Amino acid sequence: MAENDFPGWHGTTIIGVRKGGKVVIAGDGQVSLGQTVIKGTARKVRRISPGGYDVVAGFAGSTADAFTLLERLEAKLEATPGQLQRASVELAKDWRTDKYLQKLEAMLIVSDGKELYVITGAGDVLEPEHDVTAIGSGGNYALAAGRALMDTDKDAEQIAREAMAIAADICVYTNGNLTVETISG
């Protein structure tokens, strides 16, 4: 198989919802290679506790790359305990300027229960405007559904679960096997 023929890994939808003093990050479990589902139960949302402060992170993209970034984020948080924004900015700066990290293909949604950010390889640390953010192949579907549900009486977890269900119905690279983590601010 020639290098150009590699079909590429697809899959993953991650959503972050902040409502009612809680943040929920949820992710589906599908990993696809081309048109084939390789795994349906991957766990792409993790809770880490560097320096004794809980942070929830969800990732989309290459798993190995995402774990490398999570390790780097954890190190930044250990150096600046309880300062998620500072650690996120430092990670984004390293990601953009380090020749090794520049090749990593992943995105992160992170939260400490108060702050909610998307971190990208372009050096961005983005805080969602409407308390909902999403990344990955079904991210736009989950984002649209989540934003539509924000004005209802539903709590953050219900919104995240329903938005992910809608994304899974639309995006062939997203399934309904969810990992859901809740963190309070």
Side-chain angles (χ1 to χ4, degrees):
M1 181 182 261
E3 187 177 342
N4 300 8
D5 295 338
F6 186 76
W9 296 95
H10 291 283
T12 304
T13 300
I14 306 292
I15 189 167
V17 178
R18 178 175 44 205
K19 187 173 182 183
K22 294 182 180 175
V23 175
V24 172
I25 297 180
D28 78 306
Q30 184 166 313
V31 178
S32 303
L33 178 59
Q35 297 176 350
T36 304
V37 176
I38 300 298
K39 184 173 184 176
T41 58
R43 198 167 163 264
K44 304 168 198 168
V45 177
R46 309 278 173 163
R47 182 179 296 265
I48 57 176
S49 299
Y53 294 89
D54 281 351
V55 171
V56 174
F59 59 86
S62 165
T63 304
D65 292 355
F67 280 123
T68 299
L69 293 167
L70 284 174
E71 287 172 7
R72 295 283 182 124
L73 177 63
E74 201 163 4
K76 299 290 183 191
L77 286 164
E78 286 172 358
T80 59
Q83 297 181 51
L84 179 61
Q85 182 178 34
R86 183 173 176 189
S88 297
V89 169
E90 291 300 317
L91 174 64
K93 284 188 337 191
D94 287 354
W95 193 353
R96 181 148 172 87
T97 59
D98 184 283
K99 288 190 186 296
Y100 167 72
L101 293 178
Q102 284 177 352
K103 297 183 184 338
L104 300 182
E105 296 181 4
M107 293 178 75
L108 302 173
I109 294 179
V110 297
S111 180
D112 60 2
K114 297 180 294 265
E115 301 169 309
L116 176 63
Y117 299 114
V118 175
I119 308 172
T120 75
D124 299 316
V125 177
L126 306 168
E127 186 170 16
E129 191 172 27
H130 301 284
D131 292 328
V132 180
T133 191
I135 57 175
S137 56
N140 287 336
Y141 308 119
L143 177 63
R147 285 198 45 198
L149 293 167
M150 284 298 284
D151 290 332
T152 67
D153 292 336
K154 297 178 187 305
D155 65 19
E157 183 171 341
Q158 291 170 315
I159 292 170
R161 285 183 181 279
E162 288 188 31
M164 288 296 292
I166 291 168
D169 284 346
I170 298 169
C171 178
V172 297
Y173 298 113
T174 303
N175 72 17
N177 294 332
L178 300 184
T179 301
V180 179
E181 289 282 348
T182 302
I183 188 166
S184 298

